[in-house]
């Protein structure tokens, strides 16, 4: 269990209070083999700084890129990655599982 100081949701609060625009990505569902459990968080700011983890590897790069867009337009998205998804192979999720990640701007 991460310490409270390094928990991504605490980081999101600190960043937001400091004037940064922030998005939060949360693993909401997994199937099969998944690198991070449901409830895992990744916090991202407009500049692409991040803390936490929703998957690891290239999947997080794809989530960060989407989060930056979501910070701009304010529209939350549900992202899905899995071995049967062409995107999953492109971003490196070949572990045999699937994950759903909800990404939203923190207002």
């Amino acid at each position: 269990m991460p310490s409270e100081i390094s928990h991504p949701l605490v980081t999101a609060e600190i960043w937001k209070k400091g004037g940064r625009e922030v998005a939060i990505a949360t693993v909401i569902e997994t199937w099969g083999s998944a690198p991070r459990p449901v409830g895992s968080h990744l916090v991202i700011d407009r500049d692409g700084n991040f803390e936490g983890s929703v998957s690891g590897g290239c999947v997080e790069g794809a989530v960060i890129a989407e989060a930056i867009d979501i910070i701009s337009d304010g529209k939350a998205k549900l992202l899905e990655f899995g071995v049967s998804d062409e995107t999953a192979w492109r971003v490196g999720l070949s572990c045999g599982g699937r994950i759903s990640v909800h990404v939203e701007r923190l207002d």
Side-chain angles (χ1 to χ4, degrees):
M1 182 82 167
S3 71
E4 187 174 301
I5 294 172
S6 67
H7 193 282
L9 296 180
V10 172
T11 298
E13 181 180 19
I14 291 168
W15 287 0
K16 186 70 177 166
K17 285 180 179 177
R20 294 190 196 186
E21 294 177 280
V22 176
I24 297 174
T26 305
V27 176
I28 61 168
E29 197 166 14
T30 65
W31 301 267
S33 176
R36 303 285 298 144
V38 169
S40 296
H41 298 286
L42 178 67
V43 59
I44 307 98
D45 75 4
R46 178 176 287 286
D47 295 327
N49 298 301
F50 63 93
E51 186 169 315
S53 179
V54 291
S55 179
C58 298
V59 167
E60 287 191 345
V63 172
I64 290 166
E66 288 284 349
I68 291 169
D69 289 343
I70 290 164
I71 289 169
S72 293
D73 70 23
K75 296 178 183 171
K77 284 188 181 177
L78 179 62
L79 308 176
E80 294 188 355
F81 302 95
V83 295
S84 62
D85 183 341
E86 180 182 314
T87 303
W89 285 106
R90 191 171 67 241
V91 299
L93 184 66
S94 57
C95 59
R98 292 186 295 152
I99 62 171
S100 290
V101 180
H102 182 262
V103 186
E104 63 187 321
R105 183 174 68 193
L106 182 60
D107 289 323

